[in-house]
Amino acid sequence: MNQLKELQKSSADGTKTIQVRVNGQIVEREVHIRMLLVDFLREELGLTGTHVGCSVEGRCGACTILLNGENVKSCLTLAVQADGANILTVEGLGTPDNLHPIQEGFWEKHGLQCGFCTPGMMMSAYNLLKVNPHPSSDEIREAIVGNLCRCTGYEHIIEAVQYAAERLSSMSKEEREKLLTY
Ligand code: FES
Ligand code: FES
């Protein structure tokens, strides 16, 4: 957080035009150089599935997205730092009629109560399943260590990710790769 504050302070006032690929679509916007990536996603693009849970201190993980294939907390990243990047948010996973296996897992295994942490959890799970098709429960816990949930106790969340892992493993290599492309 200190580093971010330093960056914000040391930047001269002004705006910058950035181009980003978000959920497969190229978008271009002029943003203030101090705008946080989470605010860019929510306010500029209307992608409100990425949540703010801890007053942007990097502690809760509700704002987790994929930036160039890595999980990042979008409250600790400036929008201008994402210029030219490839971003995946929860809106890019699946649709209500065609859930991504990770979303299906949270649905089937009751991996949520209030659901506030769920988008961030899913993005961390996505990144894990990309590199580890058969994670153990400890590996899942490790992958979501930066994502706090205050209401489920995590057991159902672990089961949800295991469900997703099994669903993805039952698919062809092509199908699986299509669902874990970022
Ligand atoms: S809002 Fe980003 S970690 Fe809490
Ligand atoms: S389901 Fe409520 S915080 Fe996670």
Side-chain angles (χ1 to χ4, degrees):
M1 184 181 124
N2 288 342
Q3 196 193 1
L4 178 63
K5 284 210 165 140
E6 285 302 305
L7 240 167
Q8 286 180 302
K9 266 193 218 144
S10 65
S11 301
D13 276 348
T15 60
K16 180 176 169 19
T17 300
I18 61 169
Q19 197 183 70
V20 191
R21 184 167 175 257
V22 183
N23 301 335
Q25 290 210 326
I26 305 278
V27 293
E28 193 175 285
R29 291 284 190 289
E30 187 173 304
V31 297
H32 195 276
I33 52 173
R34 293 183 187 175
M35 180 177 247
L36 296 174
L37 183 56
V38 67
D39 293 334
F40 174 72
L41 294 171
R42 291 177 56 86
E43 292 164 21
E44 285 290 323
L45 305 185
L47 297 171
T48 52
T50 301
H51 292 161
V52 177
C54 64
S55 310
V56 295
E57 290 173 342
R59 283 183 293 167
C60 73
C63 65
T64 305
I65 57 157
L66 256 81
L67 178 74
N68 290 335
E70 296 295 332
N71 277 144
V72 302
K73 291 179 176 172
S74 56
C75 74
L76 295 183
T77 310
L78 294 171
V80 291
Q81 292 176 292
D83 190 19
N86 196 11
I87 289 176
L88 181 70
T89 71
V90 69
E91 287 89 350
L93 285 186
T95 64
D97 292 335
N98 186 21
L99 295 177
H100 188 282
I102 296 174
Q103 294 170 313
E104 204 181 302
F106 275 75
W107 173 274
E108 291 293 337
K109 297 294 174 182
H110 312 291
L112 61 138
Q113 282 184 27
C114 78
F116 201 81
C117 65
T118 309
M121 291 281 180
M122 287 179 171
M123 302 322 289
S124 293
Y126 185 103
N127 220 24
L128 169 70
L129 295 175
K130 246 180 9 176
V131 294
N132 185 349
H134 305 289
S136 67
S137 107
D138 281 351
E139 286 168 333
I140 296 171
R141 282 176 199 280
E142 198 176 318
I144 60 169
V145 77
N147 298 86
L148 300 184
C149 174
R150 293 188 165 89
C151 43
T152 68
Y154 296 95
E155 286 310 318
H156 292 294
I157 292 171
I158 309 290
E159 285 173 28
V161 180
Q162 283 168 336
Y163 176 101
E166 278 165 34
R167 280 276 291 115
L168 286 159
S169 297
S170 70
M171 294 175 178
S172 68
K173 192 167 171 275
E174 291 70 32
E175 261 182 307
R176 193 186 137 79
E177 278 174 2
K178 215 165 79 189
L179 290 165
L180 294 172
T181 43
Y182 275 78

Coordinates of all heavy atoms in Angstrom, one line a residue, residues 52-54 58-61 63 73 75, ligand 1:
V52 N -15.0 -4.2 -3.7 CA -14.1 -3.5 -2.8 C -14.6 -3.9 -1.4 O -15.7 -3.5 -1.0 CB -14.2 -2.0 -3.0 CG1 -13.3 -1.3 -2.0 CG2 -13.8 -1.6 -4.4
G53 N -13.7 -4.6 -0.7 CA -14.2 -5.1 0.6 C -13.4 -4.5 1.8 O -13.8 -4.6 2.9
C54 N -12.2 -4.0 1.6 CA -11.4 -3.6 2.8 C -10.9 -2.1 2.6 O -9.8 -1.8 3.1 CB -10.2 -4.5 2.9 SG -9.1 -4.5 1.6
G58 N -5.7 -3.9 0.3 CA -5.1 -5.1 -0.1 C -5.2 -6.3 0.8 O -4.5 -7.2 0.7
R59 N -6.2 -6.2 1.7 CA -6.2 -7.3 2.7 C -7.3 -8.3 2.5 O -7.2 -9.4 3.0 CB -6.5 -6.7 4.1 CG -5.2 -6.1 4.7 CD -5.5 -5.5 6.1 NE -6.4 -4.4 6.1 CZ -7.0 -3.9 7.1 NH1 -6.8 -4.4 8.3 NH2 -7.8 -2.8 7.0
C60 N -8.4 -7.9 1.7 CA -9.5 -8.9 1.7 C -9.6 -9.7 0.4 O -10.1 -10.8 0.4 CB -10.8 -8.1 1.8 SG -11.3 -7.2 0.3
G61 N -9.0 -9.3 -0.7 CA -9.0 -10.0 -1.9 C -10.3 -10.0 -2.7 O -10.4 -10.7 -3.8
C63 N -11.3 -7.8 -4.6 CA -11.0 -7.1 -5.8 C -10.1 -7.9 -6.8 O -9.6 -7.3 -7.7 CB -10.4 -5.7 -5.5 SG -8.8 -5.9 -4.8
K73 N -4.5 -7.8 -6.9 CA -5.5 -7.1 -6.2 C -5.7 -5.8 -6.9 O -4.7 -4.9 -6.9 CB -5.2 -6.9 -4.7 CG -5.2 -8.3 -4.0 CD -4.8 -8.3 -2.6 CE -5.0 -9.7 -2.0 NZ -4.5 -9.8 -0.7
C75 N -7.2 -3.2 -6.3 CA -7.2 -2.0 -5.4 C -5.8 -1.5 -5.1 O -5.6 -0.5 -4.6 CB -7.9 -2.2 -4.1 SG -7.0 -3.2 -2.9
Ligands
FES1 S1 -10.5 -4.3 -1.9 FE1 -8.7 -5.0 -2.7 S2 -7.9 -6.4 -1.2 FE2 -9.7 -5.6 -0.3

